Amino acid sequence: KETEAQIISRNIAKNQPSASSYSDDYDIMDFANDDDFESCWNSHPSVEHPWWSVDLGHEQPFNMVVITDRDNDRLQNYSIEYRAEGKWHKAFEGNAPTKARVKIHRFDTVWGDAVRITVNSSKRTVSIAEVGVFNEKRQEK
């Protein structure tokens, strides 16, 4: 069985400022990009469409967003957007590509200064262990 290509680039979202919709108790948004896969950002159960975002500091290129779910299939349907020149653009919208804990989204290179994930549906309360934003080098086909 074919597997996803390995991730060998630096996570440009690691420890960058983040924001989110209302969090549950102390499980704040910073836990989703702290490079600790045991801590999680947990949305408050009262939020119907929770969101999480990271500020990358300045516009820079990237072509992959990786979401590590707390469980294998908690996240069901969501969108990933990036902000360029002050406007939000969709990079992905739909059902989770896999029931695995790690959801890898590769796309053509974009330039942006922030990434936002908005959850449309999930099993149980949204709980994200880690979000990575990468600009990986790819071999030409």
Side-chain angles (χ1 to χ4, degrees):
K1 180 180 174 183
E2 189 173 324
T3 61
E4 288 274 352
Q6 293 181 354
I7 301 167
I8 58 172
S9 300
R10 180 180 70 85
N11 180 2
I12 60 177
K14 179 179 169 182
N15 296 321
Q16 292 294 103
S18 58
S20 72
S21 55
Y22 187 38
S23 298
D24 191 20
D25 199 14
Y26 75 92
D27 295 323
I28 61 174
M29 70 288 291
D30 296 339
F31 291 159
N33 64 322
D34 63 353
D35 202 32
D36 179 351
F37 290 80
E38 296 297 317
S39 65
C40 295
W41 165 65
N42 292 326
S43 173
H44 194 274
S46 67
V47 179
E48 188 173 342
H49 297 287
W51 59 270
W52 178 91
S53 68
V54 62
D55 187 331
L56 302 175
H58 62 279
E59 285 198 7
Q60 55 188 303
F62 54 92
N63 53 19
M64 180 170 50
V65 174
V66 178
I67 304 170
T68 304
D69 202 348
R70 178 181 201 158
D71 303 316
N72 287 348
D73 64 348
R74 192 175 285 233
L75 288 176
Q76 297 291 300
N77 184 285
Y78 51 90
S79 65
I80 300 172
E81 298 170 287
Y82 64 95
R83 188 176 60 204
E85 298 180 0
K87 294 183 182 177
W88 290 100
H89 306 273
K90 287 216 189 311
F92 170 83
E93 183 171 34
N95 293 325
T98 177
K99 291 190 182 208
R101 185 173 183 220
V102 179
K103 290 136 178 53
I104 300 173
H105 299 274
R106 288 183 163 96
F107 43 85
D108 291 337
T109 301
V110 298
W111 282 74
D113 66 358
V115 172
R116 178 172 61 192
I117 298 166
T118 303
V119 179
N120 299 315
S121 66
S122 66
K123 287 184 180 177
R124 300 178 302 285
T125 302
V126 172
S127 185
I128 297 176
E130 204 65 30
V131 175
V133 178
F134 303 91
N135 185 30
E136 66 177 359
K137 292 182 180 179
R138 297 184 183 158
Q139 293 200 2
E140 298 294 322
K141 291 183 179 182

